[in-house]
């Protein structure tokens, strides 16, 4: 057992399932999944240019017979929509799992879209873990479903699960024999208009088999009260992160049905559960996706006026005018007054020291970064000037652009005087010429070459000279002579 957060649990689950390839584009809240996978050398893990490329690379690995994983956030699935819809038609050969991180409340996103809506449109199954343990188990089960039904599977995790931590039981890695060979027949993998209707019908049949089989039934877990009644006043259907809050409040008081697979939904299990309750309360995050599907079955679903799909899950979302017992239970559990312990020591702030209101400092990205265009220009200058030149930079090791600079000149970032970087101060790159000192290439944020105060040159003793003691020429002269 070990303490894992949700991203690490997903990564561990993919490793235990025998995954061989992972492609991803970073995005909160699932960036930590790939960071967790980097510790497993058995898996080839790659950052890609975008989510579409990441998913296509994972599809290629799956078509080659390997178990493959693609990781992205919810808005990244929009970028990957083209291969996402198509791979459901073609099938996967090897297992293909797509981990998508939804962000209710938009803590680090531009919208709060629900991945389940897009997955339903593409006829792709969706698994929703409710805690860290299931975040480890569900990727393993997703690979089994993917291979058995020849369809990709989405594992939808949300921000609270990704950033939560829990003690988790870990297992060993499964040895999976890859289904090597060519993807055939051609009619299955080539989506020409003549082949598409047949592929679509086959996809619908596969999803129906999954919805009515033992897999979807297994993901339906029921908790019944100790007191057996022929019919209960109300029951609760819940999926995803809110499950444990519902269980803590209502276990033993009302029937609870947890839907671990929100699409396709096992309609038979839902109708059997609803037949034992007068009303059903549906609890979920992001939208009324599950509630709408249950209403379509003709089930008497209780209204939730406080839930509009906006923001993170709150206990206020449980209240319903159709079920007064829920409001009473919430008032009984969390409505009592809490004792407030005053803080005796005064918290000091910069404002209290200065006596002046300080301006707000919103978060922002590093201003001076090398772009791909900068590196292209630097590489061209290097190739034109010959081997006597090498590319250096001004800035701090560990920043994104220092890593980019290292990739060009193949060494650790150093200052012109050969001193290690202290703090980020520059915004360009330097071309070192052994017989003339340092000439600054004009990048996006050029740094003055004739400064002698050491601010922009690494604070070495004499920034006006190179390590050989030659005086540095002014920028316009050095550029002309080079």
């Amino acid at each position: 057992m070990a303490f894992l957060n949700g991203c690490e649990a997903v990564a561990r689950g993919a490793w235990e399932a025998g995954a061989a390839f992972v492609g991803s584009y970073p995005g909160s809240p699932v960036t930590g999944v790939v960071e967790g996978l980097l510790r497993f050398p058995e898996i080839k893990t790659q950052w890609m240019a975008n989510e579409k490329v990441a998913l296509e690379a994972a599809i290629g690995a799956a078509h080659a017979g390997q178990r493959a994983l693609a990781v992205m956030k919810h808005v990244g699935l929009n970028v990957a929509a083209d291969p996402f819809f198509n791979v459901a038609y073609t099938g996967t050969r090897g297992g293909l799992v797509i981990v998508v991180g939804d962000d209710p409340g938009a803590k680090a996103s531009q919208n709060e879209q629900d991945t389940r809506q897009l997955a339903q449109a593409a006829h792709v199954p969706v698994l929703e873990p409710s805690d860290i343990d299931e975040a480890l188990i569900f990727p393993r089960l997703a690979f089994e479903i993917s291979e058995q039904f020849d369809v990709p599977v989405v594992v939808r995790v949300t921000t609270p699960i990704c950033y939560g931590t829990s003690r988790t039981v870990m297992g060993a890695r499964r040895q999976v024999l890859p289904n090597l060979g060519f993807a055939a027949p051609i009619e299955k993998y080539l989506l020409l208009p003549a082949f598409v209707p047949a592929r679509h019908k086959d996809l619908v049949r596969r999803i129906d088999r999954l919805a009515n089989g033992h897999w979807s039934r297994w993901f339906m877990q029921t908790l019944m009260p100790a007191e057996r009644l022929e019919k209960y006043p109300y029951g609760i259907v819940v999926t995803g992160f809110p499950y444990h809050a519902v269980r803590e409040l209502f276990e033993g008081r009302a029937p609870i049905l947890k839907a671990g697979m929100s699409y396709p939904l096992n309609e038979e299990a839902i109708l059997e559960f609803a037949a034992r309750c007068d009303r059903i309360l549906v609890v979920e995050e992001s939208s009324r996706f599950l509630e709408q599907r249950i209403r379509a079955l003709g089930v008497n679903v209780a209204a939730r006026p406080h839930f509009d799909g906006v923001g993170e899950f709150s206990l206020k979302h449980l209240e319903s005018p159709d079920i007064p017992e829920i409001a009473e239970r919430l008032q009984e559990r969390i409505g009592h007054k809490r004792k407030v312990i005053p803080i005796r020591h005064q918290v000091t702030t910069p404002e209290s020291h200065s006596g002046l209101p300080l301006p707000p400092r919103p978060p922002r990205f590093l201003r001076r970064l090398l772009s791909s265009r900068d590196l292209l220009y630097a590489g061209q200058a290097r190739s034109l000037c010959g081997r006597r030149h090498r590319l250096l930079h001004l800035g701090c090791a560990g920043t994104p652009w220092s890593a980019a600079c290292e990739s060009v000149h193949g060494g650790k970032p150093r200052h012109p005087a050969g001193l290690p970087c202290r703090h980020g101060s520059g915004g360009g790159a330097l071309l070192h010429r052994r017989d003339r000192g340092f000439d600054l290439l004009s990048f996006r944020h050029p740094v003055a070459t004739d400064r002698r105060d050491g601010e922009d040159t690494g604070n070495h003793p004499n920034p006006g000279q190179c390590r050989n003691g030659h005086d540095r020429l002014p920028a316009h002269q050095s550029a002309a002579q080079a």
Side-chain angles (χ1 to χ4, degrees), residues 259-286:
M261 179 184 289
S262 54
Y263 180 81
L265 197 62
N266 190 304
E267 298 178 357
E268 183 180 356
I270 293 292
L271 293 175
E272 289 178 1
F273 181 81
R276 307 187 63 179
C277 307
D278 290 332
R279 289 183 181 272
I280 296 296
L281 181 73
V282 183
V283 183
E284 55 190 323
E285 291 181 288
S286 299

Side-chain angles (χ1 to χ4, degrees), residues 197-208:
R199 298 309 309 152
H200 194 182
K201 289 182 179 179
D202 182 70
L203 173 61
V204 172
R205 285 194 294 266
R206 282 178 278 154
I207 295 300
D208 287 343

Side-chain angles (χ1 to χ4, degrees), residues 285-365:
E285 291 181 288
S286 299
S287 70
R288 298 180 183 269
F289 174 82
L290 190 62
E291 178 180 329
Q292 291 171 352
R293 293 187 61 83
I294 294 177
R295 284 183 183 273
L297 299 176
V299 176
N300 186 10
V301 178
R304 284 197 297 160
H306 297 290
F307 178 70
D308 55 4
V310 179
E312 296 179 297
F313 170 74
S314 170
L315 294 179
K316 191 75 173 176
H317 296 165
L318 299 177
E319 294 185 3
S320 172
D322 299 330
I323 309 176
E325 295 90 343
I326 291 181
E328 296 173 1
R329 176 57 178 162
L330 293 176
Q331 183 68 22
E332 174 187 339
R333 187 62 185 269
I334 64 176
H336 62 278
K337 294 183 178 180
R338 299 182 178 180
K339 182 179 179 181
V340 178
I341 303 176
I343 301 176
R344 296 183 180 179
H345 66 279
Q346 184 179 2
V347 179
T348 59
T349 61
E351 290 85 349
S352 62
H353 284 295
S354 63
L356 298 174
L358 297 179
R361 299 183 63 185
R364 58 191 180 188
F365 295 104

